[in-house]
PDB file of all heavy atoms in Angstrom:
ATOM      1  N   ARG A  62      66.634 -13.992  30.623  1.00 97.00           N
ATOM      2  CA  ARG A  62      66.920 -12.997  29.560  1.00 97.00           C
ATOM      3  C   ARG A  62      67.829 -11.901  30.100  1.00 97.00           C
ATOM      4  O   ARG A  62      68.866 -11.491  29.481  1.00 97.00           O
ATOM      5  CB  ARG A  62      65.615 -12.369  29.010  1.00 97.00           C
ATOM      6  CG  ARG A  62      65.768 -11.288  28.014  1.00 97.00           C
ATOM      7  CD  ARG A  62      64.532 -10.384  27.958  1.00 97.00           C
ATOM      8  NE  ARG A  62      64.255  -9.779  29.294  1.00 97.00           N
ATOM      9  CZ  ARG A  62      63.206  -9.137  29.608  1.00 97.00           C
ATOM     10  NH1 ARG A  62      62.166  -9.064  28.683  1.00 97.00           N
ATOM     11  NH2 ARG A  62      63.036  -8.569  30.804  1.00 97.00           N
ATOM     12  N   ASP A  63      67.443 -11.318  31.247  1.00 97.00           N
ATOM     13  CA  ASP A  63      68.128 -10.203  31.811  1.00 97.00           C
ATOM     14  C   ASP A  63      69.608 -10.613  32.135  1.00 97.00           C
ATOM     15  O   ASP A  63      70.530  -9.772  31.987  1.00 97.00           O
ATOM     16  CB  ASP A  63      67.451  -9.689  33.043  1.00 97.00           C
ATOM     17  CG  ASP A  63      66.076  -9.010  32.709  1.00 97.00           C
ATOM     18  OD1 ASP A  63      65.807  -8.745  31.494  1.00 97.00           O
ATOM     19  OD2 ASP A  63      65.298  -8.793  33.629  1.00 97.00           O
ATOM     20  N   ARG A  64      69.738 -11.798  32.638  1.00 96.00           N
ATOM     21  CA  ARG A  64      71.123 -12.197  33.020  1.00 96.00           C
ATOM     22  C   ARG A  64      71.962 -12.516  31.782  1.00 96.00           C
ATOM     23  O   ARG A  64      73.187 -12.209  31.814  1.00 96.00           O
ATOM     24  CB  ARG A  64      71.019 -13.438  33.969  1.00 96.00           C
ATOM     25  CG  ARG A  64      70.469 -13.052  35.345  1.00 96.00           C
ATOM     26  CD  ARG A  64      70.387 -14.214  36.268  1.00 96.00           C
ATOM     27  NE  ARG A  64      69.954 -13.727  37.601  1.00 96.00           N
ATOM     28  CZ  ARG A  64      69.591 -14.466  38.567  1.00 96.00           C
ATOM     29  NH1 ARG A  64      69.641 -15.833  38.383  1.00 96.00           N
ATOM     30  NH2 ARG A  64      69.139 -14.009  39.735  1.00 96.00           N
ATOM     31  N   LEU A  65      71.369 -13.066  30.754  1.00 97.00           N
ATOM     32  CA  LEU A  65      72.143 -13.220  29.498  1.00 97.00           C
ATOM     33  C   LEU A  65      72.553 -11.882  28.964  1.00 97.00           C
ATOM     34  O   LEU A  65      73.643 -11.693  28.456  1.00 97.00           O
ATOM     35  CB  LEU A  65      71.308 -14.050  28.543  1.00 97.00           C
ATOM     36  CG  LEU A  65      71.059 -15.473  28.850  1.00 97.00           C
ATOM     37  CD1 LEU A  65      69.983 -16.106  27.904  1.00 97.00           C
ATOM     38  CD2 LEU A  65      72.344 -16.286  28.821  1.00 97.00           C
ATOM     39  N   GLN A  66      71.646 -10.927  28.996  1.00 97.00           N
ATOM     40  CA  GLN A  66      72.013  -9.550  28.481  1.00 97.00           C
ATOM     41  C   GLN A  66      73.023  -8.898  29.360  1.00 97.00           C
ATOM     42  O   GLN A  66      73.976  -8.239  28.820  1.00 97.00           O
ATOM     43  CB  GLN A  66      70.713  -8.752  28.404  1.00 97.00           C
ATOM     44  CG  GLN A  66      69.723  -9.159  27.276  1.00 97.00           C
ATOM     45  CD  GLN A  66      68.451  -8.343  27.315  1.00 97.00           C
ATOM     46  OE1 GLN A  66      67.992  -7.920  28.378  1.00 97.00           O
ATOM     47  NE2 GLN A  66      67.805  -8.266  26.157  1.00 97.00           N
ATOM     48  N   ALA A  67      72.957  -9.129  30.658  1.00 96.00           N
ATOM     49  CA  ALA A  67      73.955  -8.534  31.580  1.00 96.00           C
ATOM     50  C   ALA A  67      75.328  -9.064  31.312  1.00 96.00           C
ATOM     51  O   ALA A  67      76.394  -8.374  31.482  1.00 96.00           O
ATOM     52  CB  ALA A  67      73.527  -8.704  33.002  1.00 96.00           C
ATOM     53  N   ALA A  68      75.415 -10.323  30.881  1.00 96.00           N
ATOM     54  CA  ALA A  68      76.666 -10.976  30.540  1.00 96.00           C
ATOM     55  C   ALA A  68      77.135 -10.733  29.137  1.00 96.00           C
ATOM     56  O   ALA A  68      78.077 -11.272  28.701  1.00 96.00           O
ATOM     57  CB  ALA A  68      76.444 -12.512  30.670  1.00 96.00           C
ATOM     58  N   GLN A  69      76.415  -9.802  28.449  1.00 97.00           N
ATOM     59  CA  GLN A  69      76.783  -9.287  27.143  1.00 97.00           C
ATOM     60  C   GLN A  69      76.827 -10.362  26.085  1.00 97.00           C
ATOM     61  O   GLN A  69      77.615 -10.384  25.193  1.00 97.00           O
ATOM     62  CB  GLN A  69      78.127  -8.578  27.202  1.00 97.00           C
ATOM     63  CG  GLN A  69      78.135  -7.343  28.124  1.00 97.00           C
ATOM     64  CD  GLN A  69      79.491  -6.692  28.197  1.00 97.00           C
ATOM     65  OE1 GLN A  69      80.159  -6.507  27.175  1.00 97.00           O
ATOM     66  NE2 GLN A  69      79.921  -6.268  29.388  1.00 97.00           N
ATOM     67  N   GLN A  70      75.858 -11.297  26.208  1.00 98.00           N
ATOM     68  CA  GLN A  70      75.710 -12.294  25.167  1.00 98.00           C
ATOM     69  C   GLN A  70      74.878 -11.677  23.994  1.00 98.00           C
ATOM     70  O   GLN A  70      74.110 -10.758  24.225  1.00 98.00           O
ATOM     71  CB  GLN A  70      75.019 -13.604  25.712  1.00 98.00           C
ATOM     72  CG  GLN A  70      75.786 -14.157  26.926  1.00 98.00           C
ATOM     73  CD  GLN A  70      77.296 -14.365  26.556  1.00 98.00           C
ATOM     74  OE1 GLN A  70      77.674 -14.783  25.468  1.00 98.00           O
ATOM     75  NE2 GLN A  70      78.107 -14.091  27.593  1.00 98.00           N
ATOM     76  N   GLN A  71      74.981 -12.277  22.824  1.00 98.00           N
ATOM     77  CA  GLN A  71      74.297 -11.723  21.674  1.00 98.00           C
ATOM     78  C   GLN A  71      72.836 -12.292  21.586  1.00 98.00           C
ATOM     79  O   GLN A  71      72.588 -13.278  20.849  1.00 98.00           O
ATOM     80  CB  GLN A  71      75.091 -12.047  20.426  1.00 98.00           C
ATOM     81  CG  GLN A  71      74.665 -11.368  19.141  1.00 98.00           C
ATOM     82  CD  GLN A  71      75.516 -11.799  17.945  1.00 98.00           C
ATOM     83  OE1 GLN A  71      76.721 -12.001  18.086  1.00 98.00           O
ATOM     84  NE2 GLN A  71      74.877 -11.874  16.811  1.00 98.00           N
ATOM     85  N   LEU A  72      71.974 -11.711  22.317  1.00 98.00           N
ATOM     86  CA  LEU A  72      70.640 -12.338  22.589  1.00 98.00           C
ATOM     87  C   LEU A  72      69.597 -11.824  21.588  1.00 98.00           C
ATOM     88  O   LEU A  72      69.482 -10.625  21.349  1.00 98.00           O
ATOM     89  CB  LEU A  72      70.198 -12.034  23.985  1.00 98.00           C
ATOM     90  CG  LEU A  72      68.830 -12.627  24.420  1.00 98.00           C
ATOM     91  CD1 LEU A  72      68.948 -14.151  24.414  1.00 98.00           C
ATOM     92  CD2 LEU A  72      68.377 -12.116  25.750  1.00 98.00           C
ATOM     93  N   THR A  73      68.856 -12.760  20.998  1.00 98.00           N
ATOM     94  CA  THR A  73      67.639 -12.507  20.239  1.00 98.00           C
ATOM     95  C   THR A  73      66.506 -12.922  21.074  1.00 98.00           C
ATOM     96  O   THR A  73      66.312 -14.208  21.366  1.00 98.00           O
ATOM     97  CB  THR A  73      67.699 -13.260  18.862  1.00 98.00           C
ATOM     98  OG1 THR A  73      68.808 -12.786  18.108  1.00 98.00           O
ATOM     99  CG2 THR A  73      66.435 -13.010  18.079  1.00 98.00           C
ATOM    100  N   TRP A  74      65.658 -12.068  21.528  1.00 98.00           N
ATOM    101  CA  TRP A  74      64.553 -12.327  22.449  1.00 98.00           C
ATOM    102  C   TRP A  74      63.233 -12.243  21.727  1.00 98.00           C
ATOM    103  O   TRP A  74      62.880 -11.189  21.121  1.00 98.00           O
ATOM    104  CB  TRP A  74      64.610 -11.322  23.622  1.00 98.00           C
ATOM    105  CG  TRP A  74      63.444 -11.248  24.516  1.00 98.00           C
ATOM    106  CD1 TRP A  74      62.684 -10.122  24.715  1.00 98.00           C
ATOM    107  CD2 TRP A  74      62.882 -12.246  25.342  1.00 98.00           C
ATOM    108  NE1 TRP A  74      61.707 -10.332  25.620  1.00 98.00           N
ATOM    109  CE2 TRP A  74      61.786 -11.659  26.037  1.00 98.00           C
ATOM    110  CE3 TRP A  74      63.206 -13.561  25.622  1.00 98.00           C
ATOM    111  CZ2 TRP A  74      61.049 -12.371  26.981  1.00 98.00           C
ATOM    112  CZ3 TRP A  74      62.419 -14.300  26.573  1.00 98.00           C
ATOM    113  CH2 TRP A  74      61.372 -13.707  27.226  1.00 98.00           C
ATOM    114  N   VAL A  75      62.455 -13.332  21.770  1.00 98.00           N
ATOM    115  CA  VAL A  75      61.175 -13.426  21.025  1.00 98.00           C
ATOM    116  C   VAL A  75      60.051 -13.735  22.009  1.00 98.00           C
ATOM    117  O   VAL A  75      59.724 -15.004  22.096  1.00 98.00           O
ATOM    118  CB  VAL A  75      61.223 -14.394  19.834  1.00 98.00           C
ATOM    119  CG1 VAL A  75      59.980 -14.340  19.038  1.00 98.00           C
ATOM    120  CG2 VAL A  75      62.425 -14.076  18.950  1.00 98.00           C
ATOM    121  N   PRO A  76      59.435 -12.830  22.732  1.00 98.00           N
ATOM    122  CA  PRO A  76      58.240 -13.197  23.516  1.00 98.00           C
ATOM    123  C   PRO A  76      57.030 -13.268  22.532  1.00 98.00           C
ATOM    124  O   PRO A  76      57.063 -12.628  21.492  1.00 98.00           O
ATOM    125  CB  PRO A  76      58.113 -11.937  24.448  1.00 98.00           C
ATOM    126  CG  PRO A  76      58.774 -10.788  23.711  1.00 98.00           C
ATOM    127  CD  PRO A  76      59.845 -11.397  22.858  1.00 98.00           C
ATOM    128  N   PHE A  77      56.042 -13.991  22.902  1.00 98.00           N
ATOM    129  CA  PHE A  77      54.886 -14.087  22.142  1.00 98.00           C
ATOM    130  C   PHE A  77      53.639 -14.225  22.982  1.00 98.00           C
ATOM    131  O   PHE A  77      53.788 -14.692  24.139  1.00 98.00           O
ATOM    132  CB  PHE A  77      55.035 -15.263  21.122  1.00 98.00           C
ATOM    133  CG  PHE A  77      55.243 -16.635  21.784  1.00 98.00           C
ATOM    134  CD1 PHE A  77      54.147 -17.409  22.118  1.00 98.00           C
ATOM    135  CD2 PHE A  77      56.509 -17.119  22.011  1.00 98.00           C
ATOM    136  CE1 PHE A  77      54.287 -18.702  22.687  1.00 98.00           C
ATOM    137  CE2 PHE A  77      56.668 -18.354  22.571  1.00 98.00           C
ATOM    138  CZ  PHE A  77      55.633 -19.135  22.929  1.00 98.00           C
ATOM    139  N   GLU A  78      52.475 -13.958  22.378  1.00 97.00           N
ATOM    140  CA  GLU A  78      51.231 -14.114  23.080  1.00 97.00           C
ATOM    141  C   GLU A  78      50.781 -15.575  22.975  1.00 97.00           C
ATOM    142  O   GLU A  78      50.502 -16.013  21.885  1.00 97.00           O
ATOM    143  CB  GLU A  78      50.131 -13.177  22.476  1.00 97.00           C
ATOM    144  CG  GLU A  78      50.537 -11.706  22.472  1.00 97.00           C
ATOM    145  CD  GLU A  78      50.814 -11.168  23.926  1.00 97.00           C
ATOM    146  OE1 GLU A  78      50.105 -11.672  24.883  1.00 97.00           O
ATOM    147  OE2 GLU A  78      51.689 -10.312  24.083  1.00 97.00           O
ATOM    148  N   GLY A  79      50.810 -16.271  24.050  1.00 97.00           N
ATOM    149  CA  GLY A  79      50.454 -17.672  23.983  1.00 97.00           C
ATOM    150  C   GLY A  79      51.041 -18.451  25.171  1.00 97.00           C
ATOM    151  O   GLY A  79      51.653 -17.853  26.114  1.00 97.00           O
ATOM    152  N   GLY A  80      50.891 -19.731  25.155  1.00 97.00           N
ATOM    153  CA  GLY A  80      51.376 -20.580  26.266  1.00 97.00           C
ATOM    154  C   GLY A  80      52.684 -21.256  25.981  1.00 97.00           C
ATOM    155  O   GLY A  80      53.611 -20.713  25.458  1.00 97.00           O
ATOM    156  N   HIS A  81      52.710 -22.574  26.411  1.00 95.00           N
ATOM    157  CA  HIS A  81      53.970 -23.276  26.441  1.00 95.00           C
ATOM    158  C   HIS A  81      54.091 -23.942  25.003  1.00 95.00           C
ATOM    159  O   HIS A  81      53.602 -25.055  24.811  1.00 95.00           O
ATOM    160  CB  HIS A  81      53.843 -24.397  27.473  1.00 95.00           C
ATOM    161  CG  HIS A  81      55.146 -25.023  27.861  1.00 95.00           C
ATOM    162  ND1 HIS A  81      56.227 -24.214  28.324  1.00 95.00           N
ATOM    163  CD2 HIS A  81      55.609 -26.267  27.878  1.00 95.00           C
ATOM    164  CE1 HIS A  81      57.241 -25.120  28.667  1.00 95.00           C
ATOM    165  NE2 HIS A  81      56.879 -26.274  28.341  1.00 95.00           N
ATOM    166  N   GLY A  82      54.699 -23.226  24.115  1.00 96.00           N
ATOM    167  CA  GLY A  82      54.789 -23.717  22.742  1.00 96.00           C
ATOM    168  C   GLY A  82      55.805 -23.123  21.817  1.00 96.00           C
ATOM    169  O   GLY A  82      56.577 -22.333  22.239  1.00 96.00           O
ATOM    170  N   ILE A  83      55.631 -23.471  20.548  1.00 98.00           N
ATOM    171  CA  ILE A  83      56.512 -22.986  19.533  1.00 98.00           C
ATOM    172  C   ILE A  83      55.642 -22.416  18.365  1.00 98.00           C
ATOM    173  O   ILE A  83      55.361 -23.155  17.421  1.00 98.00           O
ATOM    174  CB  ILE A  83      57.495 -24.040  19.015  1.00 98.00           C
ATOM    175  CG1 ILE A  83      58.212 -24.725  20.139  1.00 98.00           C
ATOM    176  CG2 ILE A  83      58.457 -23.433  18.007  1.00 98.00           C
ATOM    177  CD1 ILE A  83      59.077 -25.933  19.718  1.00 98.00           C
ATOM    178  N   PRO A  84      55.226 -21.173  18.432  1.00 97.00           N
ATOM    179  CA  PRO A  84      54.391 -20.658  17.340  1.00 97.00           C
ATOM    180  C   PRO A  84      55.193 -20.323  16.094  1.00 97.00           C
ATOM    181  O   PRO A  84      56.435 -20.329  16.142  1.00 97.00           O
ATOM    182  CB  PRO A  84      53.812 -19.403  17.959  1.00 97.00           C
ATOM    183  CG  PRO A  84      54.807 -18.937  18.982  1.00 97.00           C
ATOM    184  CD  PRO A  84      55.378 -20.246  19.510  1.00 97.00           C
ATOM    185  N   GLY A  85      54.517 -20.022  15.039  1.00 97.00           N
ATOM    186  CA  GLY A  85      55.162 -19.746  13.747  1.00 97.00           C
ATOM    187  C   GLY A  85      56.152 -18.601  13.832  1.00 97.00           C
ATOM    188  O   GLY A  85      57.190 -18.572  13.146  1.00 97.00           O
ATOM    189  N   VAL A  86      55.826 -17.567  14.624  1.00 97.00           N
ATOM    190  CA  VAL A  86      56.686 -16.398  14.760  1.00 97.00           C
ATOM    191  C   VAL A  86      58.057 -16.815  15.261  1.00 97.00           C
ATOM    192  O   VAL A  86      59.083 -16.231  14.937  1.00 97.00           O
ATOM    193  CB  VAL A  86      56.072 -15.277  15.559  1.00 97.00           C
ATOM    194  CG1 VAL A  86      55.853 -15.724  17.019  1.00 97.00           C
ATOM    195  CG2 VAL A  86      56.871 -14.035  15.550  1.00 97.00           C
ATOM    196  N   VAL A  87      58.019 -17.770  16.197  1.00 98.00           N
ATOM    197  CA  VAL A  87      59.307 -18.233  16.783  1.00 98.00           C
ATOM    198  C   VAL A  87      60.109 -18.976  15.721  1.00 98.00           C
ATOM    199  O   VAL A  87      61.341 -18.707  15.590  1.00 98.00           O
ATOM    200  CB  VAL A  87      59.010 -19.144  17.992  1.00 98.00           C
ATOM    201  CG1 VAL A  87      60.290 -19.922  18.424  1.00 98.00           C
ATOM    202  CG2 VAL A  87      58.402 -18.346  19.164  1.00 98.00           C
ATOM    203  N   LEU A  88      59.481 -19.843  14.977  1.00 97.00           N
ATOM    204  CA  LEU A  88      60.224 -20.595  13.923  1.00 97.00           C
ATOM    205  C   LEU A  88      60.780 -19.676  12.891  1.00 97.00           C
ATOM    206  O   LEU A  88      61.899 -19.831  12.411  1.00 97.00           O
ATOM    207  CB  LEU A  88      59.297 -21.659  13.327  1.00 97.00           C
ATOM    208  CG  LEU A  88      58.931 -22.823  14.217  1.00 97.00           C
ATOM    209  CD1 LEU A  88      57.971 -23.716  13.431  1.00 97.00           C
ATOM    210  CD2 LEU A  88      60.114 -23.590  14.625  1.00 97.00           C
ATOM    211  N   GLY A  89      59.966 -18.650  12.504  1.00 97.00           N
ATOM    212  CA  GLY A  89      60.426 -17.672  11.495  1.00 97.00           C
ATOM    213  C   GLY A  89      61.652 -16.907  11.929  1.00 97.00           C
ATOM    214  O   GLY A  89      62.615 -16.772  11.210  1.00 97.00           O
ATOM    215  N   ARG A  90      61.643 -16.428  13.202  1.00 98.00           N
ATOM    216  CA  ARG A  90      62.767 -15.624  13.699  1.00 98.00           C
ATOM    217  C   ARG A  90      63.982 -16.564  13.918  1.00 98.00           C
ATOM    218  O   ARG A  90      65.138 -16.152  13.666  1.00 98.00           O
ATOM    219  CB  ARG A  90      62.370 -14.993  15.068  1.00 98.00           C
ATOM    220  CG  ARG A  90      61.347 -13.899  14.911  1.00 98.00           C
ATOM    221  CD  ARG A  90      61.866 -12.636  14.355  1.00 98.00           C
ATOM    222  NE  ARG A  90      62.970 -12.088  15.160  1.00 98.00           N
ATOM    223  CZ  ARG A  90      62.722 -11.328  16.215  1.00 98.00           C
ATOM    224  NH1 ARG A  90      61.515 -10.945  16.610  1.00 98.00           N
ATOM    225  NH2 ARG A  90      63.785 -10.807  16.899  1.00 98.00           N
ATOM    226  N   LEU A  91      63.753 -17.763  14.323  1.00 98.00           N
ATOM    227  CA  LEU A  91      64.853 -18.749  14.551  1.00 98.00           C
ATOM    228  C   LEU A  91      65.519 -19.034  13.175  1.00 98.00           C
ATOM    229  O   LEU A  91      66.718 -19.077  13.039  1.00 98.00           O
ATOM    230  CB  LEU A  91      64.436 -19.973  15.223  1.00 98.00           C
ATOM    231  CG  LEU A  91      65.420 -21.053  15.380  1.00 98.00           C
ATOM    232  CD1 LEU A  91      66.701 -20.569  16.133  1.00 98.00           C
ATOM    233  CD2 LEU A  91      64.826 -22.349  16.091  1.00 98.00           C
TER     234      LEU A  91
END
């Protein structure tokens, strides 16, 4: 994330409470 931001890419960052997965909040933001 930090390197993408340093390269000035248009980053949408979605951390979430949980493990190795795709929760609903991720799908909604995507």
